[in-house]
Each structure stands twice: as structure tokens, then as C-alpha cells.
Amino acid sequence: MSTPGPDLVELVVGPPAHGGHCVARSADGPVVFVRHTLPGERVRARVTQARRQFWRADAVEVLEASPDRVPSVWPEAGPGGVGGGELAHVALDAQRRWKTTVLREALTRIGHLDLDGLEGEVAVEGLPGDDEAGGLGTRTRIELVVDADGTAGMFRHRSHDVVPLSSMPLAVPAIAELGLFAPGRWSHLRPGTRLDVVAPSVGAPLVLVDGEPEASGRGPARGSVREVVPTAFGDLTYRVRASGFWQVHRRAAPVLVDAVLGALRPTPGERLLDLYSGAGLFTLPLVTAVGESGRVDAVESEPRAVTDARRNLHAHAGAALHEARVDPASLVALGGDPVDGVVLDPPRAGAGPAVMDALADLAPQRVVYVACDPAALARDLQVATARGYRLRTVRGLDLFPHTHHVEAVALLERA
């Protein structure tokens, strides 16, 4: 329930918290989660939501600036603007320190994990080429919506109001060159139409209109795209639905494959599980690593992703694809032969304690957990460590520059 609050408050800003805001306390009110600021700043902020327990606010005037503040690389994502660029005013190296703080805090406060005994520091690292480009031009997939005037935009933060855009600097150049944001460009479409724009690593970009490929007049509309991922085994080629899930950052797929294989260290003849396997991003290099004498069981619940995976893995007899939810029952069904290693890449909510318990019952020697939410990762790692696993490494990856999102790859080993 919302309660009345002041329109503007002056705040001295505290540490960052997961979600793209910092924590502050107003003179006469509760804790304030304030966006568009940095730790240590003094700001004047507009309260956007007032609840009994906390307020939300946007910093609209900086009274004392942090040395890490820079001119926003995407002003349309500033106060009152669209979501998706909440750290655009923060220097790139400071963004990674921010995310490192959030990741470490989640692991220790939520997961009650001891980080002192890990191999290496828990730190968030950038991807190749991002420093040189200032973290811009990284996204190969963006989501837009058409406003009442036929112009492409995005939703205002925590709102269903469409803000028309003039540019999207986080998108790769191939998307930027499409002229998506010309005023009235989409006036032939009804307001509220969703536009998904995809720039695969092979071939020209394409636009999906409410999930369906837009006819270009240059042949039949494409429903799928090809992605080529450089790996230690050479270039691996995937065919995926244009509307299906694929890593957004232009370098995310090869970096994640390298991180997962480097942590899991698969060898010929092993039996591995790939949980929440999608179109087979990890399954393909894993089955290549274990060779003809090994086996990879991949579990995915989304039927169209399984269809993509079957196409990508049809030449590999050692890959067994299971269209099923990842739950205790599906893991019990995979029992029998010993499991040497597991890769799991769950959605934002995490795997959950029931899955982590069932996974521990299979007693794999190594588990690599790919996480897109630090809090969910911390909760799941806590379950695993309570079941006798030791957390060995946690590697943070900045797959979403200029946003609060952070990816992590954690390695667990059976004690």
C-alpha cells in the first residue's frame, strides 16, 4: 500500500543494491531506493513511490557528484525515461565495481558463503572489445514497442507508457543502421505492437512484428537465424529461432562457453548433464568434449528450444535431449549411470532448493552454475554447500554494460 510522501527529498547516497539503485535514508522518512545516482553523492531526488517500509526515487539534481559520474551515454534512459540503461551515467570500470559489490554482498549476506577460501577473487570482468567501445554497441537483440504516432520506443521505467526513442546506443551497429527510430516509421502498425530486432552473427538483421518475421520483399521471411560461436573445438554453428532465446551480448556466447568448459574440465568418456539447455549452446561443446565414448543428457522444457537443439545436435549420437521440466522427478529419471559433471543455466528465479537437493543426490563431482541473478545464485549455492559441496570459484561477467544486470559462473566440487 502506498502512503503520501514528499515530491522531492535531499539524500546522501549509500551503497549500491541489486536492481540498479542505491540505498539512502531521508531525514524524516524510511529507506529510499534511489536510481540515477552513485554511492557517496548528495542529490535531490523525486519520490516515485512511497510505501510504509520504503520509498523509490529518481535523482534529478546532483548536488555533490561522485568522481565516477560521467555524462550519460544514453540520456533517454535517465530520470523519467525508459528502463534498461540505469547505469549509463557511471564510468565503465565503476559499473563493474558496483556489480562486484552487489555480487559479493549477495553471496555473503543471502548465501552465507565464505569467499575467503575461493580460488581467485570474486570480481566482475568486461568482455573483449567493450572497454574500447565504452560498453556501447554490444546488443544483438533489442525489444521495442510502437507508440501512438508510429515511432519505435520503449516503456518508461515501471510504466506501460511508451517513450519514443531517437536511438539505442547499446545495440550493435547492424541494428543501428536499420533506421528503426525514424518518426512515424511504423505508422502502418497498431500502437503497442512489439518489435524484436535480431542481428545474428551470420546474415542480415531481421525484425519480428509481434513475434512473426517481417516480410522484407527480398524473399520469404526468415524464421530462424544462424549463430557461429568460436570455441576451443573450432567454430560451432547453431541454428535458432529468431524469436527464441540467445545470449544478447555479441561476445557472450563464446565467453560463456569458454568459462563453462574451463570450470567443468570435461574429458572423453564422461557422462554430463546440461540442465535448462535451451537450443544447446553448452550441449554442443560438451558432447564434443566427451567424445564418442561419453554422453550428455540435456533437459529443456520449452518445446521450440528443444526443436532447435535437435537440429544443432543431430550429428552427435552422444547427446540425449529430454523435453521436460528441470525438477526432482526429471533428475531422478536421469539417475542410474554415475554423473561426472553438471552444467545448469536456470532462469532468473534460479533452480530452487528442491532441484539443488535432487542434484546433490546424483552426486556429480563438479557442478557449474551459470546465473543471471546474484540473489538466486546465492540461495542455490547455500543449498549445495549444505549438502557437502565446496564452492571453488565465482567469476562475474559484465554481459549487460550500462545496466545493473550481471552474469556469474560458479564452480562447485563435491567435498
Side-chain angles (χ1 to χ4, degrees), residues 120 153 221 332:
V332 168

Side-chain angles (χ1 to χ4, degrees), residues 302-320:
E302 210 284 308
R304 291 172 296 180
V306 176
T307 298
D308 286 343
R310 293 194 192 285
R311 282 196 291 255
N312 295 327
L313 294 154
H314 72 278
H316 296 271

Side-chain angles (χ1 to χ4, degrees), residues 219-235:
R222 288 183 291 153
S224 63
V225 296
R226 279 199 303 148
E227 299 285 357
V228 175
V229 179
T231 74
F233 306 106
D235 289 350

Side-chain angles (χ1 to χ4, degrees), residues 146 149-152 178-189 207 214:
V146 176
D149 296 322
T151 300
L178 294 177
L180 300 171
F181 303 106
R185 163 73 171 81
W186 307 98
S187 57
H188 60 290
L189 301 176
V207 178
E214 180 189 39

